[in-house]
Amino acid sequence: MGAFTIGEVARRAAISIDTVRYYERRHLLPAPARRASGYRQYGDEDVQRLRFIRRAKALGFALEDIRSLLDLSIDHERGVHGLRARTEAKLADIDARIAQLQKMRRGLRQLVADCPGSGALDHCPILAALGGKEPA
Amino acid sequence: MGAFTIGEVARRAAISIDTVRYYERRHLLPAPARRASGYRQYGDEDVQRLRFIRRAKALGFALEDIRSLLDLSIDHERGVHGLRARTEAKLADIDARIAQLQKMRRGLRQLVADCPGSGALDHCPILAALGGKEPA
DNA sequence: CTTGACTCTGGACCACGCTCCAGGGTTTAG
DNA sequence: CTAAACCCTGGAGCGTGGTCCAGAGTCAAG
C-alpha cells in the first residue's frame, strides 16, 4: 500500500524525519526508492521496521544491536543460516540485561523498603548502602 | 585520614585519574585543597564520595542524578523525601524495562522454537512481538 | 643531582544518537 | 502563478561520560 514520503513515514513511525535519514545512513533502514525528483519513497514495511527500531531502542538496545536483530530477520527470510545460534546469543544478551536490571531492582527495592521517608539523612539506608565500605 | 594524591584517591575509588578530574569539573566532587605545588590533596571523605558515585552509577543513575543526590545530602531536613522519591521513580523505570525485555525475550524464544536451525519460515516472530500495530 | 614516576592545565577527541542548519529544489492548494 | 509546505544534501553541533595528549612542573629514591 503505502507510497509514503519521508514526512509521512516518520509521522507513522512516530520519529523525526532527521532520524529516518540517520537510520538510513547507519544502515538500519535500507535506502529507499526515489522519485524522479529525488524524494524518498517508503512503504508499509518501512513503517514496521521503524517501529521495531523504536521499540527495541526503548528496551535499551543500541542501534548496532538492533541492526543485528534486523539482519537476523533478513536471514530468516533468506533461509536461516546460523540463525538459531545468533538468536540464542541475542537471547543470552537479553537474559543478562534482565538479570542486571533485577539485581539493580532488588538493591533499590530493599533501600526503599528500609527508608523511613523522614528523619535525618544520617540514618538513610539508601545513602548508607551507596556509600558503604568496600573490601580493599 | 588520608592526604592522598589524585593517583591514590583514584586507585582507592577504583576509577581513573582523568575521571576524578572530570567529576571535579562536573561538580560531583568538590575542588580539593592544593599543595603549594598545585597538587590536589584528597581525604577519606573524597574516597567515600567517589565510591558513592561509582555505586550509584552502577545502579543506573545518571551523573546529573547523582549530583542531586549528593546535593540533597546537604539538606538534612528535606533530603530523605527527595531521595526516596527519586529512588522509587528509578525503581518504576527499572520494572518497566524488565517487563519490556521479558516481552522481547518471549518473542525471541518463540523464534528459536519456530526455527530450530533449518527450514524456512514466512514470518518473523520478533517483528510480530515488537513491530506490532499501534493506535493511529 | 639525576632519573623516573607522578601531577598540572587546557583542550582535543571518542562513540552514541540524534538534531539542526543553510541553501538549494519540488509539490500542491488556491 | 504564487506561496506554503515539503524534500534534498552535507556538515556542524549537542549532551553524556569519559579518555588522551602535549608540554610543563614536582616529588622520591638512589
Side-chain angles (χ1 to χ4, degrees):
Chain A
M1 291 151 270
F4 312 126
T5 62
I6 195 170
E8 287 168 333
V9 84
R11 189 174 42 73
R12 282 166 196 259
I15 59 176
S16 79
I17 289 174
D18 278 332
T19 300
V20 175
R21 285 192 282 242
Y22 175 70
Y23 288 167
E24 183 183 329
R25 281 200 295 282
R26 299 292 304 274
H27 305 292
L28 274 89
L29 198 63
R34 301 290 186 123
R35 291 199 206 173
S37 64
Y39 279 28
R40 289 169 178 80
Q41 270 186 314
Y42 295 96
D44 287 325
E45 68 284 0
D46 296 302
V47 176
Q48 290 305 308
R49 197 172 172 107
L50 287 169
R51 286 181 179 170
F52 175 92
I53 294 168
R54 187 163 52 71
R55 286 159 184 270
K57 210 159 53 66
L59 294 182
F61 286 94
L63 291 191
E64 195 52 36
D65 290 337
I66 297 170
R67 203 180 50 69
S68 70
L69 281 173
L70 288 164
D71 288 349
L72 195 143
S73 71
I74 288 167
D75 282 358
H76 187 232
E77 288 166 5
R78 284 179 181 167
V80 197
H81 291 299
L83 175 58
R84 188 191 176 105
R86 293 174 60 190
T87 306
E88 284 177 344
K90 212 67 207 173
L91 198 49
D93 176 50
I94 290 170
D95 284 346
R97 280 172 189 271
I98 290 174
Q100 168 68 37
L101 283 170
Q102 281 173 339
K103 184 180 170 191
M104 212 149 101
R105 185 186 182 285
R106 278 193 300 275
L108 286 176
R109 186 74 190 77
Q110 188 58 51
L111 295 181
V112 170
D114 291 348
C115 184
S118 63
L121 204 67
D122 307 325
H123 305 303
C124 177
I126 299 174
L127 287 175
L130 288 171
K133 307 292 182 294
E134 282 201 327
Chain B
M1 336 226 112
F4 311 126
T5 63
I6 195 170
E8 287 168 332
V9 84
R11 187 176 42 73
R12 283 166 195 259
I15 58 176
S16 80
I17 289 175
D18 279 331
T19 300
V20 175
R21 284 193 283 242
Y22 175 69
Y23 288 168
E24 182 183 330
R25 281 200 296 283
R26 298 292 305 273
H27 304 292
L28 275 89
L29 199 63
R34 300 291 187 123
R35 290 199 206 173
S37 64
Y39 279 29
R40 291 170 178 81
Q41 275 189 111
Y42 296 94
D44 287 325
E45 68 284 1
D46 296 302
V47 176
Q48 290 307 308
R49 196 172 173 106
L50 287 169
R51 286 181 179 170
F52 174 94
I53 294 168
R54 188 163 53 70
R55 285 159 184 271
K57 219 157 50 68
L59 288 178
F61 289 95
L63 290 192
E64 193 52 36
D65 290 339
I66 297 170
R67 203 181 50 69
S68 354
L69 289 182
L70 289 165
D71 288 347
L72 279 178
S73 72
I74 293 165
D75 189 346
H76 276 236
E77 282 305 305
R78 306 173 189 273
V80 171
H81 293 297
L83 184 50
R84 185 189 166 119
R86 280 162 192 277
T87 306
E88 281 176 340
K90 203 75 206 170
L91 190 53
D93 176 55
I94 289 168
D95 282 347
R97 280 171 179 267
I98 289 173
Q100 291 188 320
L101 277 171
Q102 281 171 339
K103 182 180 172 190
M104 175 152 211
R105 187 181 182 286
R106 283 192 295 275
L108 282 175
R109 264 275 179 258
Q110 189 60 48
L111 179 61
V112 170
D114 287 351
C115 199
S118 63
L121 289 170
D122 48 26
H123 179 70
C124 176
I126 313 173
L127 289 169
L130 282 165
K133 309 296 178 287
E134 284 200 330

